[in-house]
Amino acid sequence: MIVDCAIYRDGRRTEGPADFSDALGEARAAGDSFLWIGLHEPAEAEFAHVTSEFGLHPLAVEDALKAHQRPKLEVYDDSLFLVLKPVVYDEAAATVTAGELMVFVGDSFVVTVRHGEGAPLAAVRRRLEEDPQVLRHGPTAVMYAVSDAVVDHYVSVGAELQNDLEALEADVFAPDGGDTKGTAARIYSFKRQVLEFRRATGPLADPILRLAGAGVPFVHESTRPFFRDVSDHLTRANEYVEGLDRLLSDILNAHLAQMGVRQNNDMRKISAWAAMAAVPTMVAGIYGMNFEHMPELGTVWGYPAAVAVMAGAVLALHRLFKRRGWL
């Protein structure tokens, strides 16, 4: 559905025709104006009218309707098409959810198409309307503001993930961290969320660099420094992602090493107790044989002597294993 539709003249919002096709004609006739239409998960029939009026490329239209695209920048004869993937981090569920945001920029128009709830544009539009100096740069000012809002949120999500990772790291390296059930599953789940985050931030680096450079049509020359600033913020977000991924791999390896050490300690303890049980079992087994002619069978102190030998052997072995750290 169409969320908002407005004409901006000289950086300020103005009242225009209710029909956006008439509004586009008025914006082009004025020369210093452009039309911004915002849509949220439009239906195919609804978007077909927008496509015909603005002359959008059919391949870009297909991408905008189906979503599930990687971040990219496509240059067509009559428009630019930018795909962004805004992300939302649910701290309670420890999940990263990515939406999709498409921006069409052409002659005196901007069309934004949003999928999911991760990229509300009302705040971006309101902030731009409060800063006419930015809006005077035309449709690319909207593309810059949308990109900047998405990338700035990447940095915020990266900081939240970093905090949760530090908590996970503290749990893993706690004295009983290796014995916590599901620790490996938590690490793998966290790694999956970082991978989802990487899918949003990584591919966007090249499109933003292209917008910051020369030779891209419909991009006002004065907006290139703004896109360079977005590129700097995106680099910071990607550094967050790379650091999180490396730390998660190190934490997982450390956890597996801890589990191996604990298993070795458990095996040594089991072996030590088995060795202590073997000595009295052997002595008792020998004297449990049904033979008449065996040493000490006829003596009064034979039974106490055998028990004493078994107890002494067990105590000696216990002391030996204790000294070597097996118990």
Side-chain angles (χ1 to χ4, degrees):
M1 64 176 180
I2 297 179
V3 178
D4 199 353
C5 177
I7 295 176
Y8 294 89
R9 179 176 290 112
D10 194 28
R12 299 186 182 278
R13 182 170 181 145
T14 62
E15 295 298 329
D19 184 77
F20 62 80
S21 59
D22 295 336
L24 178 61
E26 181 179 315
R28 285 174 172 171
D32 60 347
S33 305
F34 68 92
L35 176 67
W36 180 4
I37 296 180
L39 299 100
H40 179 232
E41 298 181 357
E44 186 172 354
E46 181 183 28
F47 201 56
H49 185 41
V50 177
T51 302
S52 62
E53 291 294 334
F54 292 89
L56 305 180
H57 197 280
L59 291 177
V61 170
E62 182 181 359
D63 291 343
L65 287 172
K66 293 184 177 180
H68 304 295
Q69 303 296 315
R70 297 174 76 248
K72 63 180 181 179
L73 175 67
E74 299 286 354
V75 179
Y76 299 107
D77 292 337
D78 299 324
S79 62
L80 284 179
F81 177 57
L82 176 65
V83 179
L84 302 163
K85 291 185 76 70
V87 297
V88 174
Y89 181 56
D90 186 349
E91 188 173 358
T95 57
V96 173
T97 305
E100 290 200 32
L101 181 59
M102 289 80 171
V103 183
F104 294 87
V105 170
D107 180 17
S108 302
F109 73 84
V110 179
V111 178
T112 54
V113 182
R114 180 165 59 94
H115 291 267
E117 301 299 327
L121 294 179
V124 176
R125 189 186 287 261
R126 185 168 55 252
R127 188 168 65 250
L128 278 173
E129 290 174 354
E130 293 173 355
D131 191 358
Q133 292 296 332
V134 176
L135 275 177
R136 286 194 180 100
H137 292 96
T140 47
V142 177
M143 181 178 281
Y144 151 71
V146 171
S147 304
D148 186 56
V150 170
V151 171
D152 281 349
H153 194 60
Y154 286 163
V155 177
S156 300
V157 170
E160 292 178 8
L161 286 170
Q162 180 70 36
N163 293 335
D164 285 357
L165 179 60
E166 290 174 358
L168 176 61
E169 186 178 20
D171 291 343
V172 169
F173 289 103
D176 59 345
D179 296 329
T180 303
K181 293 182 179 180
T183 299
R186 287 176 61 200
I187 297 173
Y188 274 115
S189 177
F190 206 114
K191 201 170 182 66
R192 191 178 302 113
Q193 305 313 314
V194 172
L195 177 61
E196 184 71 19
F197 192 21
R198 184 201 293 271
R199 288 172 180 164
T201 63
L204 186 59
D206 182 63
I208 296 299
L209 283 175
R210 289 175 62 191
L211 290 169
V216 180
F218 305 106
V219 177
H220 198 281
E221 183 177 356
S222 59
T223 61
R224 290 173 189 163
F226 294 99
F227 283 111
R228 284 197 291 271
D229 181 65
V230 175
S231 180
D232 290 341
H233 292 178
L234 182 60
T235 299
R236 181 182 172 190
N238 280 320
E239 288 174 352
Y240 261 125
V241 175
E242 293 296 332
L244 290 169
D245 190 56
R246 285 197 301 269
L247 280 174
L248 278 169
S249 297
D250 292 342
I251 290 172
L252 179 60
N253 291 334
H255 171 67
L256 294 177
Q258 283 182 327
M259 293 299 294
V261 170
R262 284 179 168 82
Q263 288 176 351
N264 288 337
N265 289 336
D266 292 341
M267 289 301 300
R268 287 195 299 180
K269 291 179 181 179
I270 292 171
S271 300
W273 286 109
M276 287 188 290
V279 173
T281 300
M282 179 187 68
V283 175
I286 292 174
Y287 278 91
M289 296 181 186
N290 295 321
F291 292 105
E292 293 184 7
H293 303 289
M294 292 185 68
E296 318 304 340
L297 286 178
T299 59
V300 176
W301 47 266
Y303 174 74
V307 172
V309 168
M310 289 189 285
V314 169
L315 289 173
L317 287 172
H318 185 275
R319 185 174 181 182
L320 174 64
F321 293 141
K322 193 76 172 179
R323 188 184 305 120
R324 293 188 176 182
W326 284 36
L327 294 174

